[in-house]
């Protein structure tokens, strides 16, 4: 049984995240989407709202579950028996951002990070941009799963 964790802030979940989860779900027996705290970010949505939106967006994937991960990500991975962390890459900037985390997580526990290339058509989609578009009155519905538009609007 291979178990992987796909962690992130998911503030909010985008179609880019759904794309990566869908690809990862084909590679592992079980995929746990871990809604985690990034100490460098102040989230728009609280963690339970982020987890609820992620669950709704991924409910069609039978081997995918969503959980809130408090504390150190590698501790969460150990508790759940996960042997890999999955991250999506849109381009080189994402790799530069992810590489130190992958090295730190491996240094802490030996867990490997597996990078998946996302759909090129979604390479401009980022939670930070989605929030910014929404804040300025733009339509975010092309970039997010159903349910996210209203949740973001309510949180602004
Ligand atoms: O979507 P993000 O904000 O880029 O995800 C970053 C996240 C939440 C995966 C990262 O900040 C994280 O792993 N946080 C949990 C605490 C932790 O383990 N920090 C050390 C990371 S090397």
């Amino acid at each position: 049984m291979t178990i992987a964790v796909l962690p992130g802030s998911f503030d909010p979940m985008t179609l880019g995240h759904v794309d990566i989860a869908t690809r990862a779900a084909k590679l592992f027996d079980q995929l746990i989407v871990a809604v985690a705290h990034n100490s460098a970010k102040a989230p728009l949505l609280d963690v339970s709202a982020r987890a609820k939106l992620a669950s709704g967006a991924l409910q069609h994937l039978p081997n995918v579950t969503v959980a809130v991960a408090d504390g150190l990500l590698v501790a969460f991975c150990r508790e759940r028996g996960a042997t890999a962390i999955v991250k999506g890459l849109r381009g080189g900037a994402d790799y530069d951002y992810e590489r130190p985390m992958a090295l730190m997580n491996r240094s802490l526990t030996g867990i490997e990070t597996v990078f998946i290339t996302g759909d090129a058509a979604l390479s401009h989609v980022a939670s930070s941009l989605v929030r910014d578009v929404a804040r300025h009155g733009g339509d975010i519905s092309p970039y997010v799963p159903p349910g996210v538009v209203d949740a973001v609007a309510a949180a602004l």
Side-chain angles (χ1 to χ4, degrees):
M1 166 82 80
T2 55
I3 303 174
V5 168
L6 171 58
S9 300
F10 304 110
D11 185 37
M13 170 136 296
T14 68
L15 294 183
H17 296 131
V18 175
D19 173 51
I20 297 300
T22 303
R23 294 176 194 282
K26 293 178 188 154
L27 298 177
F28 299 95
D29 296 318
Q30 268 185 35
L31 180 72
I32 303 166
V33 172
V35 182
H37 179 64
N38 183 336
S39 50
K41 296 177 180 171
L44 173 67
L45 299 167
D46 68 39
V47 72
S48 58
R50 287 182 271 144
K52 191 173 162 199
L53 291 171
S55 294
L58 302 172
Q59 62 187 353
H60 60 288
L61 298 169
N63 62 335
V64 177
T65 54
V66 175
V68 171
D70 287 321
L72 207 53
L73 179 65
V74 290
F76 176 85
C77 292
R78 254 195 188 149
E79 277 164 26
R80 300 300 184 106
T83 52
I85 293 169
V86 176
K87 295 287 187 89
L89 294 183
R90 290 165 295 197
D94 281 352
Y95 179 71
D96 290 344
Y97 169 71
E98 295 293 347
R99 185 174 178 273
M101 285 192 276
L103 290 171
M104 179 58 79
N105 287 327
R106 187 165 65 194
S107 167
L108 287 167
T109 56
I111 195 163
E112 295 289 353
T113 296
V114 175
F115 293 115
I116 294 181
T117 310
D119 184 341
L122 295 170
S123 60
H124 59 301
V125 177
S127 295
S128 55
L129 287 180
V130 162
R131 293 193 304 273
D132 203 43
V133 169
R135 271 194 189 103
H136 292 90
D139 177 18
I140 61 169
S141 63
Y143 317 113
V144 295
V148 169
V149 176
D150 288 347
V152 168
L156 286 174

